[in-house]
Amino acid sequence: MALPELVLSLLRRGPAHGYDVKRDHDGWFPDGRPLAYGQVYATLSRLERQGLVTVQETRSGGGPQRTVYALTEPGEQRVEAWLAEPADVASSSADEIVRKTVAALRSGGDPGPFLGRQRAAHLRRMRELTEGAADDDLVARLARDHLVAHLDADLRWLDLAVDRLADTYPTQEAGP
Amino acid sequence: MKPATAVLLAWPTAAADRGRVALIAAATAVAGAFLLAAVRIARFSGRDDGGGDGLARYVTEPGLRPGVAVAVGLLVVPVLALGVQALRVGSVARDRRMASLRLAGATPRAVRAVAAAEAGGAALAGGLAAGPAYLALWVLLGVLPPGGLALLPAPTPVDAVAWAGVALLAAVGGALAGAAVQGRVVVEALGVRRRASSNRPGRLNPAVLVTGGVLVVAGTVGPVVEARAGAMAIYIMMVGILLSAFAVGPRLVGLSGRLLSRRAGAEALLAGARLTADPRSSGRVAAVLVICGVALGVDAALAVDFLTQRGSTDKGFYLTGFALVALGVLVGACVAVLTLLVGAADGLLDARRPLATLTALGVDQPLLSRVLARQLAAVAVPAVVVGVLIGGGMPALPFLLVDPTGRAILTVVFTVATAVVAGLAAFVAARLTARLLRAHVRAATDPENLRVA
Amino acid sequence: MSESHDRLVLELNGVEHAYRRTVALRGVGLEVGPEEVVAVTGPSGCGKSTLLHIAAGILRPQAGAVRLLGEDLDALGEAARTRLRRERVGIVLQFGQLVPDLSLLDNVALPLLLAGEERAKARGDAAVWLERAGLDAPLGSSPAELSGGQAQRVAVARALVTEPALLLADEPTGSMDTKGGEHLLDLLLGAARERGAAVVLVTHDNVVAARADREVRLRDGAVEAEAVLR
């Protein structure tokens, strides 16, 4: 589960309380299940132990609720590395893909390159599935068709994302 | 649908529509003028009926008059054919417009009413303009020519009645023609497809052909049997020629197309396929050219016959007469070539997408222009040649069979020579027409036409 | 791409084109190697079809260079460009591309006839390709009698009949259902692979694009991204 990287992305915009992290997360995924406080603080603690997050200040009274967390340098790099790779299409769940894409779109900067990489990953997986399809029996092909259809749906959603962002970010030229 | 609505929908808005309406009206006006003139000549009673002096003997002599009336009347045919072709122009765009009317809730009858209003209105305008056009024709043929050569007697008040009749006839005929041409537009989910009309000649065709043939024979043989039937015979023959020509036109074009398709090469295949796919509209032009050919053939045969007669008086008179007929044939043939031009230009417009696709295949404008030239020549040349041979053969054949003299053989030879010359002229005209349409071909093959809608 | 330039089947460089006031392509580059299948994708209006027409030599770009099968298209006259396209390139469009006056057989035979082949032989070759395309309609029928899918099969047969080195397809499955489109692509790509032809596939369908070796994505007339899929 990419919850740690997600929390890191949430902190990318600036230091925040755990409460803010939970609130921002719920704002990013308004139709999903709200994030439990316990999970947030547990993740933040783990991230602090790993050195990816640091406590910036503590209000008087201590307690996790008053602590402001901030990304460290390694933490920043971890997020960038996470976003530099597309979600693994063969093994990830749909949730994972959505999570990563939203994080990429929300965390500032041009999401174009990420979306391009994710699209390529999807297409490669689709190609793998269709290449092997001809030899299988009917039911196996149907199973593959189902996967392909879902990948196609993801792609069209990604295209929509790119379309809607096209006005915000001018086209970059990429080429050989 | 209320008549007012039909008229409102039929009103030409786009520039292309206006051009088409103008052409229909102009053709109707000129045809109407010729018709009025023919009727006037036929009506001319020789006595002082206000026809004026200076009329040529062709008109004043009762024996020659019917011939002149028929000749002028025949000129109506090419012009009317041009009008019908103008009616069919832009059918693809019009079908789409009618289809959207259907989708909006109009019944097939309402759609036909709109088409009828469109065509009928244009024809009515033309019919009304036929009056002034007739007057202009009178100035050209009756006033300007020097004394003794005027071909058209002065108009009389009776002509006004005839004019009203022509206008009414034009309106009704135009409306019927417009409704008939509209056909039944089939609206399909993906687009408009005109109900596929068979490209075989209609079921009536053989009957018409036979009837026409019978009439022609009757007209030829009749005067031999019954001397007084001279004038009637000519009219009967004229009707017979008209029927036969229009029945034979599409068949001739179809045959031409099939022969062309058999020749080697992609160009011949494409040209021939176009003719066999739609012999009807080119068949009409072929019919007109057949008629022109027949008239020319008859004229040439009679001229030779006359010239070889010993002791003939008044050579100048008769020769001028033959020359005038030839001039009339030329006018008719030019109108027919114009009809070909309009038809070909319209065809190019309709076939834009397939033609642009052909460009993608590697067929360029020069090749397509050559295909067009072949197509037009295949319509024009056989029609003219067949017409001349029949026209020259008709007077000569009875003589050849009964009493083969040098004169008859000379007539046949001259007829064949005329056929060859006329055929060559038709060939040149076809190539010229194709050349004139070069820009249209280029526009049709523009890759822009490949774009979706 | 590490192909040497001489082996490239198609090469576009800095191609620009505009229709009246709309800019269709801005500085587009594309390379297609032998036997490669390249998908050109992008939202509608991004210039994919214009790119295809320029690649085929149907349209002359307002700027930039096009090398097709080693020939610089700008240096060739129109007749030479047409001949090159006729002999070495096969084109399939989305619809409405068969000559309505000709029979199916003659439609497929047409490229061969244009190349000067004798009629009986051309028809024979055409019949073979129509059978390969799996067409079940009679060879003498008219294009108007065919369904969309059948007409596309005939169009593919026609594109393949001259055994071209490059196949250009503009939304070939655009007006077909999923299964029909799949079969058409099997036909097209299978025949291309057999003959060693390169394929440029313009499409807005992701499943179609996924069958290519490489995807070039356009947006607003420029290349937005390229991805290697194989």
Side-chain angles (χ1 to χ4, degrees):
Chain A
M1 305 224 74
L3 192 54
E5 280 88 355
L6 196 54
V7 169
L8 288 173
S9 311
L10 286 157
L11 284 176
R12 217 182 182 189
R13 296 192 299 182
H17 294 286
Y19 172 79
D20 294 323
V21 169
K22 176 242 165 24
R23 197 193 54 195
D24 288 343
H25 171 280
D26 293 345
W28 280 16
F29 303 97
D31 301 309
R33 210 181 320 136
L35 198 53
Y37 283 110
Q39 256 190 306
V40 177
Y41 291 118
T43 311
L44 282 168
S45 304
R46 202 179 325 126
L47 287 172
E48 196 198 347
R49 276 199 299 279
Q50 293 171 337
L52 302 171
V53 165
T54 186
V55 173
Q56 210 175 55
E57 68 176 70
T58 315
R59 294 276 171 76
S60 58
Q65 295 90 327
R66 299 278 177 218
T67 321
V68 176
Y69 295 88
L71 269 188
T72 62
E73 181 77 30
E76 178 88 34
Q77 285 166 2
R78 174 72 157 259
V79 180
E80 280 177 21
W82 184 59
L83 289 177
E85 286 301 315
D88 182 1
V89 187
S91 49
S92 307
S93 65
D95 287 345
E96 173 64 15
I97 294 166
V98 172
R99 219 174 277 138
K100 205 166 198 179
T101 307
V102 169
L105 293 170
R106 287 280 193 186
S107 54
D110 179 14
F114 168 79
L115 292 167
R117 288 189 291 267
Q118 188 65 64
R119 180 184 169 83
H122 270 75
L123 281 176
R124 280 187 211 113
R125 179 67 182 144
M126 279 167 82
R127 191 190 150 100
E128 272 172 36
L129 289 169
T130 49
E131 289 241 287
D135 306 324
D136 294 340
D137 69 357
L138 182 62
V139 181
R141 286 187 70 174
L142 278 174
R144 285 173 179 253
D145 286 336
H146 181 259
L147 290 170
V148 167
H150 276 252
L151 289 169
D152 188 16
D154 284 349
L155 274 177
R156 278 183 274 142
W157 173 67
L158 288 170
D159 290 345
L160 186 62
V162 176
D163 268 341
R164 293 211 179 130
L165 289 166
D167 299 323
T168 326
Y169 296 101
T171 32
Q172 308 266 355
E173 283 219 16
Chain B
M1 179 176 279
K2 296 203 295 264
T5 319
V7 170
L8 187 67
L9 285 170
W11 199 260
T13 44
D17 276 341
R18 280 199 292 270
R20 173 176 163 266
V21 161
L23 189 56
I24 296 174
T28 313
V30 173
F34 280 135
L35 188 60
L36 286 172
V39 165
R40 177 70 185 99
I41 294 175
R43 254 191 330 113
F44 187 71
S45 50
R47 296 166 302 154
D48 187 69
D49 74 344
D53 321 306
L55 281 176
R57 272 176 54 202
Y58 310 115
V59 178
T60 53
E61 278 187 30
L64 294 174
R65 198 180 311 135
V68 180
V70 162
V72 175
L74 277 180
L75 279 175
V76 170
V77 176
V79 181
L80 216 52
L82 179 61
V84 170
Q85 180 66 342
L87 200 60
R88 302 192 78 107
V89 154
S91 55
V92 169
R94 204 164 42 254
D95 280 352
R96 236 180 279 138
R97 190 150 51 94
M98 297 304 177
S100 30
L101 279 179
R102 288 272 282 122
L103 283 172
T107 62
R109 274 184 71 183
V111 162
R112 273 202 294 278
V114 173
E118 205 174 28
L124 177 63
L128 291 173
Y134 168 57
L135 288 176
L137 193 62
W138 170 59
V139 168
L140 186 66
L141 293 179
V143 173
L144 288 179
L149 264 184
L151 288 174
L152 195 53
T156 67
V158 180
D159 286 328
V161 177
W163 177 25
V166 161
L168 187 63
L169 189 64
V172 171
L176 287 174
V181 162
Q182 182 55 40
R184 248 157 286 158
V185 173
V186 175
V187 177
E188 295 180 356
L190 289 175
V192 174
R193 189 176 311 165
R194 174 177 284 232
R195 222 175 60 149
S197 49
S198 161
N199 57 9
R200 301 242 145 270
R203 282 167 308 165
L204 288 177
N205 192 290
V208 173
L209 190 57
V210 167
T211 313
V214 165
L215 288 176
V216 169
V217 170
T220 319
V221 167
V224 174
V225 169
E226 168 67 61
R228 277 176 304 156
M232 266 315 281
I234 292 186
Y235 293 129
I236 288 177
M237 245 174 55
M238 178 181 105
V239 174
I241 288 173
L242 283 176
L243 287 176
S244 314
F246 278 95
V248 112
R251 283 178 185 272
L252 202 57
V253 167
L255 183 65
S256 251
R258 277 194 298 276
L259 288 175
L260 197 54
S261 295
R262 298 231 183 95
R263 299 183 66 123
E267 291 175 25
L269 181 65
L270 284 170
R274 182 86 282 265
L275 289 179
T276 45
D278 180 25
R280 281 208 182 149
S281 61
S282 11
R284 263 195 304 276
V285 176
V288 170
L289 286 171
V290 164
I291 294 173
C292 290
V294 166
L296 188 65
V298 168
D299 194 43
L302 289 179
V304 166
D305 192 70
F306 170 76
L307 284 173
T308 55
Q309 241 172 357
R310 286 177 293 266
S312 46
T313 56
D314 234 344
K315 269 203 170 152
F317 171 73
Y318 281 97
L319 280 181
T320 315
F322 291 130
L324 283 173
V325 172
L327 188 64
V329 167
L330 190 62
V331 167
C334 285
V335 173
V337 170
L338 184 62
T339 311
L340 269 183
L341 183 79
V342 169
D346 188 49
L348 284 172
L349 205 66
D350 279 355
R352 262 173 309 178
R353 204 192 152 88
L355 286 175
T357 315
L358 278 181
T359 313
L361 272 195
V363 171
D364 52 10
Q365 176 266 315
L367 200 152
L368 282 173
S369 280
R370 286 198 297 274
V371 168
L372 187 62
R374 280 197 174 197
Q375 192 184 313
L376 295 175
V379 169
V381 174
V384 164
V385 167
V386 163
V388 171
L389 290 176
I390 290 180
M394 268 190 327
L397 221 51
F399 288 102
L400 260 184
L401 294 172
V402 169
D403 172 30
T405 62
R407 233 172 76 196
I409 295 177
L410 187 62
T411 309
V412 170
V413 167
F414 192 65
T415 302
V416 171
T418 311
V420 168
V421 170
L424 275 172
F427 182 73
V428 168
R431 289 194 79 111
L432 204 65
T433 308
R435 197 123 192 284
L436 282 172
L437 289 173
R438 243 192 336 204
H440 282 79
V441 174
R442 205 173 274 279
T445 56
D446 192 280
E448 183 77 24
N449 297 323
L450 289 172
R451 282 148 78 86
V452 179
Chain C
M1 292 304 306
S2 56
E3 310 281 352
S4 78
H5 282 248
D6 293 334
R7 286 190 60 213
L8 286 177
V9 168
L10 177 66
E11 192 184 343
L12 271 70
N13 248 308
V15 164
E16 296 189 5
H17 197 76
Y19 292 107
R20 291 168 213 128
R21 272 173 294 167
T22 329
V23 175
L25 292 176
R26 306 181 273 134
V28 168
L30 177 70
E31 281 183 6
V32 179
E35 302 195 41
E36 240 201 316
V37 178
V38 176
V40 176
T41 60
S44 60
C46 67
K48 314 191 285 285
S49 292
T50 310
L51 185 63
L52 200 80
H53 295 163
I54 289 177
I58 298 169
L59 204 56
R60 286 189 72 166
Q62 284 156 3
V66 182
R67 279 186 83 85
L68 178 61
L69 299 162
E71 304 264 8
D72 181 2
L73 288 186
D74 201 41
L76 297 178
E78 187 164 335
R81 271 204 304 277
T82 308
R83 193 172 53 242
L84 180 63
R85 182 164 67 248
R86 197 162 62 216
E87 294 169 3
R88 315 277 317 274
V89 178
I91 302 187
V92 182
L93 302 170
Q94 191 175 346
F95 52 77
Q97 58 202 296
L98 300 178
V99 178
D101 303 332
L102 298 176
S103 66
L104 299 186
L105 187 64
D106 282 337
N107 257 293
V108 178
L110 188 59
L112 296 173
L113 291 171
L114 289 168
E117 213 172 280
E118 186 247 320
R119 187 164 300 189
K121 182 167 190 304
R123 282 182 166 162
D125 292 341
V128 167
W129 277 102
L130 275 170
E131 195 186 318
R132 282 207 55 190
L135 194 73
D136 47 7
L139 298 179
S141 34
S142 143
E145 300 167 28
L146 297 179
S147 70
Q150 286 174 314
Q152 287 301 87
R153 291 181 161 270
V154 175
V156 169
R158 184 178 70 178
L160 294 169
V161 83
T162 48
E163 314 215 338
L166 174 65
L167 277 166
L168 300 172
D170 191 351
E171 309 272 12
T173 58
S175 54
M176 300 173 73
D177 61 49
T178 318
K179 195 176 96 163
E182 200 179 282
H183 288 166
L184 193 83
L185 277 182
D186 288 340
L187 173 66
L188 186 64
L189 297 177
R193 201 175 315 129
E194 247 178 66
R195 308 281 152 168
V199 181
V200 175
L201 203 49
V202 166
T203 182
H204 69 276
D205 186 326
N206 296 315
V207 179
V208 169
R211 297 189 63 165
D213 300 328
R214 191 153 60 92
E215 185 202 31
V216 173
R217 198 151 173 79
L218 296 182
R219 178 176 295 276
D220 290 333
V223 175
E224 179 183 63
E226 276 196 44
V228 174
L229 304 182
R230 183 164 44 180

